[in-house]
Each structure stands twice: as C-alpha cells, then as structure tokens.
Amino acid sequence: MSARRSLDIGALGGTSSSKATTDAAIAENVAPHAVIDETSGARKQPPPEKASDVRRRTYVILSFWLIVLLLGLPIWWRTTTIHRANLPLDEMLDWADGKACRPVFPLRISIQANSLQEQEAQNLLRLTQHALDDLNDFSGHHLRLQLSPPAAEESHHGDDGAALTIRLIPGESTTSTLDPYAPILDITYPPNSIPSPTSSSSSLATYVAGQLRSTFAEEQAIISFLLSNNSIPSEHRPQGLTPEAAESLSKRTTRSLKYAPTYHLTFSLFASGPLPSSWDIEAAIDEFMKPVLNVLTPIHNFTIDTQVQLYANPGVQSQILSKEDLSSFINAAEWPLSPSIGGAPTINFIVFVGNQTILTAPRETSETEGGLSTSQSWLVPQWGTVYLLSLPSDTAHVSAATLRQPLLTFTSHLLSLTGTPQSGSLPLRLSTLARIRSADLLLRASSTLGSLARLALALPSISIPGSVADGVSKTMTHLRLACETLGGPEGLAHARIAEAEAERAFFEKSMVGQLYFPDEHKLAVYLPLLGPVGVPLLMGLLNEIKAWRKRRRERAERGAEKKKE
C-alpha cells in the first residue's frame, strides 16, 4: 500500500510539474517578448529601444525615400517624358479658319489706246473701272486697269507685267478678238463711242468691262469653288456660284491630279502582235508636245520615259468597245506600267496598236464634252490616256507624223489632268493655272496646319519633335509671303514651299509612332515593377510614422505626470 501510494503521489507530482511546464510554454507563445512577474503575476513589456537604434532605422527609411524622390523620380521623369515642342496652336487654327489671310487675287490689266488723247483715255479707263467694279461680285478677284505707256504699245506680246493687255483699235463696229498666242485682247470701236469728259457712263466702257468679266469668268468660278470648300469665314466666301457650275467644277477637280511640283510622263507603245516594234516618240514629243511642256515649266517639272511592249493583250478582247469596256481595257496585271518614280506622280500615255474601235453614238463621233472622249481615245481620271491607233498589219515602224494626232490628244489631256482651265487662249489659261495652283496650295497648307493643331490638342501624350515646330514656323512664314504676293509667280513659289513644309510636319515619323502607344500600355508596364518595390517602402514609412507618433504621445503623458507630481 505504501509503494502504490508513493507511485500515485509521484504520478500526481509528475502531472503537476507537466502542467506547469505547459502553462509556461503557453505563456511564452502568447507573449514571447513579455516577462511574467513571479510575485505579482503581471506581464512585463520588453525593454525600450535605444535612441540610437530608433535613429538608425529612421535614417535607413529616409535614405531609401530620398533616393527614390531625389534620384529615381528625376531619372524616370527625364527618360520617360514625352517631348512636346511649343506650337502656335491659336495662330495655326486661325490659318485653317481663314482668319489669318483674306485671299485676294489682284490682276493688273493694261490698256493701250494709241488713237485716243490722254484725257480721253483716262476718262475711258475711269468709266471702265467703275463698270467693272459694278459687275464684280467677288471681292477677292480684283481687276485693276492701268493705261499703258506709249513706248509699250509697239510690242506684239503686250505688257509682260500685266495679266492681260487690251488694245483699243478704231473700227466700224465694236468687236473683240483674243490673241491665241499672247495675253492680248483686241477691241475695235467706232469713233462715236468715245465718251465725253462730262459723261458718267459709256457703252464702250460697259462693253470692255463685260469682255474682261467673261475672259476671267472661269478663273473666278474655279477660285470661288476652292474657297467655298474651305473653312474660311462666310463674309469672305464668294456668292453666286450655281449648283450646276459647282457640280461641273467638282467633276473637273476629281478628274485632275493632285498638285505636285514634278510629274513623270510615261509613253508606252503596246501592240497586240509582233509589229510595230519601234517608234519615233522622241521626235514626236519634241515637235508636238514639248512647246506646251516648256510653258508649263514655271508651274510643273516633267520627267519622261518611253517603252515598247509586243504581244500585249488588253483586258477586253472585243473588237468594238463600249463605254463600259473602257474601264477594264487596261491590263494592269500584264502591262509593264511604270509606277511613281522618285515620289513624283506618274501620268501614263498609252498608244495601243490594234483593230479595236470605240462604239459611240452618231452625235458623239467627234470629241464630246470637254474634248475628253473620242472614237479613238479616252481619258482615265488621275491616271492618263489610252489612244487606239489603227495601222496596217505590216507596219514595223511608227513615224513621228503618224504620232501627231496621238501626241496632240495627249497634250490636251495633260492640260486637263493638271487642272488647266478650258476657256481662253493658252497663255491666259496657263497664267490662270498658276493663280489657281497658288490658291489651292495656300488653302491646303492652311488646312494641314489646322489638322496638326487639332491633333496636338486632342492627343496630349503625342510627341512633338523640334522638327515639327521648325516645319510649322517655315510654313507660316511662307504662307504670309504667299498671301502678300498671291496672284504672282512669287506667290506660287511661297505657296509651294508652305504646302511641302506643312505636309512634312504633319507626317513626321517620330510623332506618328506615338499614336500607337497609349497610356494603358505604360500602366501595364509599370505596375509589375512598382508593386514589389513600392509596397515595402510605403509600409515601412507608415510603420515609422506610427512609432514616432506613439513615442511622442508617451513623452507627452510622462511630461503631464511629472507636472502633477
């Protein structure tokens, strides 16, 4: 009994000791940093941190944040910021809206009146100017009359500085004749039609004003059409352009090529069989087409190449071609048609030797509307011309004389493709073309500036390199010069430079590339990098702020207790 009792006591003692050990372990796990007072049973807090350790931890956290703020962020900002050169956006929009330049086309008209006295000539000029101003409903198209000096009246070519020279010649009736080779308008008048010095009107002055108006009517209509399709203020837009005239001008604009300083002309001889295998195209161009190319040189430059292709099958095999077949006649898949060379648009002139003909209505056997569609040729808008040439089957060589009619047709179509007006003598048509091109280039350059300004405003994250700002500055400089000299050769030169600089600035490669890198892509790149780095920095800063506030509060409490004591 005693042995068993001692074992029970030992077991009970062992149980008590194990329980104490377990309680101590639990207490240690619950508060590993606390020490339990054996006498009072209270839990003790760990000893306070040393001031040096607190400062060291604070300095470490601050050093990390200083590196991020003073070194990391500036480097990141410098390497990732998008360079945007300063652009005069308001001024660019003013050009696009037509507020910076009011298009005015001053035309100087010289009057030669050798048979009139000085006072009579001046009076006739004054009355004619008044009649002309009354007829003119387009304020931007100014016709200013001046009396030609007697020394210039002997010249057959007129005054070179004037858009048109009017020669007043005494005759039996009032008639007018436009010189086909010079910008000269001959007007005959009966002697009794000369106005007296006291008269306020004159039938001769009214007649001269009407002839001037009709001479420049097509130019005025084309310029009116250009301005009506531009975003200029309504008070500067011409009025009175009929819907029929607007539709006709729209078709002509669609048919003609976009302006380019240089065009590449490709002359091709295509034969359905082995003959002909050669042609005198160089001699034919020099004789029949080169004169017109020379007079177009101030407006356009031309490069020329030729080619011969045998066994060339057209896209339509029918012997009689209808108007519906003309669009598929060109076999672009097999014919070696030259593409644009050196960035210059190509105008194709094709002479096809075969026995095919174009079916036309009886009233259309000759040239139809505008001379652009005949029984042997047709014009392809913004592309070129195809001429069907019928030759004997044994013809091996095409002479220059045989190419006369095709080359004359090509010349006429070239003028249409370049947007040359259709009425008036050739010198007047070419001078009108220069003024129309000046206006067109000025409006296109202004519109491009507006598009660039709106793009910069709509996309704040797009890059704007310095080259774009330089291009905009050059464009606006030449636009001002073009606006001041509009209507003359200097205006065309400045407008050409302005349009080229505006296009170059708008299509800058480095700027266009930013369109395809939106802000969402940047966020997707930065988040995986900033998350693991930013969270420890932020949490460490927050914990340090909490500890600092706690220490500050404890110091305040201790200070309050000392004051109470």
Side-chain angles (χ1 to χ4, degrees), residues 470-483:
D470 294 339
V472 170
S473 177
K474 293 179 181 178
T475 299
M476 297 176 65
T477 300
H478 287 283
L479 279 177
R480 295 189 192 98
L481 296 175
C483 187

Side-chain angles (χ1 to χ4, degrees), residues 264-268 270 303-308 332 335-342 344-350 383:
H264 182 72
L265 307 182
T266 298
F267 294 87
S268 305
F270 290 156
T303 59
I304 298 174
D305 72 345
T306 64
Q307 64 178 343
V308 177
W335 290 1
L337 299 174
S338 298
S340 297
I341 297 177
T346 296
I347 302 178
N348 293 277
F349 295 120
I350 296 176
W383 188 85

Side-chain angles (χ1 to χ4, degrees), residues 58-267:
T58 303
Y59 291 156
V60 169
I61 294 175
L62 288 178
S63 64
F64 274 104
W65 276 99
L66 287 176
I67 291 174
V68 170
L69 295 177
L70 299 182
L71 185 62
L73 283 179
I75 293 177
W76 169 80
W77 181 264
R78 179 66 178 175
T79 55
T80 60
T81 188
I82 297 175
H83 176 69
R84 287 175 63 89
N86 292 326
L87 296 179
L89 300 178
D90 294 337
E91 193 172 355
M92 294 166 64
L93 292 175
D94 288 343
W95 277 103
D97 296 336
K99 299 177 181 179
C101 173
R102 180 184 177 184
V104 176
F105 306 88
L107 300 181
R108 189 159 55 91
I109 309 299
S110 178
I111 296 181
Q112 295 181 4
N114 190 29
S115 59
L116 298 180
Q117 299 295 328
E118 178 72 17
Q119 185 178 3
E120 293 177 339
Q122 291 291 349
N123 185 43
L124 178 61
L125 186 144
R126 179 180 58 84
L127 295 177
T128 305
Q129 186 68 66
H130 289 168
L132 193 61
D133 294 338
D134 294 338
L135 292 175
N136 187 18
D137 55 356
F138 178 26
S139 60
H141 205 229
H142 290 169
L143 300 179
R144 289 294 172 256
L145 304 180
Q146 66 177 18
L147 197 61
S148 178
E153 296 181 11
E154 299 297 330
S155 174
H156 176 70
H157 299 286
D159 188 355
D160 293 336
L164 179 66
T165 299
I166 298 177
R167 296 191 302 191
L168 297 177
I169 304 172
E172 297 180 356
S173 61
T174 305
T175 60
S176 64
T177 304
L178 188 62
D179 193 314
Y181 305 107
I184 296 177
L185 178 64
D186 292 330
I187 295 181
T188 61
Y189 64 93
N192 57 1
S193 63
I194 300 300
S196 63
T198 59
S199 62
S200 60
S201 62
S202 169
S203 59
L204 179 59
T206 304
Y207 180 80
V208 174
Q211 292 300 312
L212 282 173
R213 179 179 172 82
S214 62
T215 301
F216 293 98
E218 184 177 9
E219 176 181 347
Q220 180 175 331
I222 295 175
I223 294 177
S224 301
F225 176 76
L226 293 176
L227 296 178
S228 63
N229 292 335
N230 193 267
S231 57
I232 63 173
S234 57
E235 60 269 15
H236 295 165
R237 293 186 181 183
Q239 306 295 329
L241 191 63
T242 62
E244 295 78 10
E247 183 180 1
S248 176
L249 292 173
S250 177
K251 291 180 180 179
R252 289 169 55 179
T253 304
T254 304
R255 182 175 60 234
S256 61
L257 287 162
K258 181 182 178 181
Y259 173 83
T262 302
Y263 290 115
H264 182 72
L265 307 182
T266 298
F267 294 87

Side-chain angles (χ1 to χ4, degrees), residues 238-371:
Q239 306 295 329
L241 191 63
T242 62
E244 295 78 10
E247 183 180 1
S248 176
L249 292 173
S250 177
K251 291 180 180 179
R252 289 169 55 179
T253 304
T254 304
R255 182 175 60 234
S256 61
L257 287 162
K258 181 182 178 181
Y259 173 83
T262 302
Y263 290 115
H264 182 72
L265 307 182
T266 298
F267 294 87
S268 305
L269 175 64
F270 290 156
S272 57
L275 298 176
S277 58
S278 62
W279 57 337
D280 288 334
I281 185 60
E282 291 81 3
I285 292 175
D286 292 338
E287 183 177 358
F288 304 115
M289 201 170 188
K290 210 58 176 292
V292 175
L293 297 181
N294 291 334
V295 296
L296 283 172
T297 300
I299 307 174
H300 304 285
N301 294 322
F302 297 96
T303 59
I304 298 174
D305 72 345
T306 64
Q307 64 178 343
V308 177
Q309 179 72 20
L310 304 180
Y311 298 101
N313 295 320
V316 179
Q317 300 297 329
S318 176
Q319 300 299 318
I320 299 178
L321 303 176
S322 63
K323 289 187 176 181
E324 290 74 16
D325 297 331
L326 301 183
S327 59
S328 57
F329 181 85
I330 300 170
N331 191 351
E334 298 182 6
W335 290 1
L337 299 174
S338 298
S340 297
I341 297 177
T346 296
I347 302 178
N348 293 277
F349 295 120
I350 296 176
V351 177
F352 185 81
V353 179
N355 55 359
Q356 291 176 307
T357 57
I358 303 174
L359 180 62
T360 57
R363 62 180 179 87
E364 296 175 343
T365 53
S366 60
E367 294 187 357
T368 58
E369 182 182 359

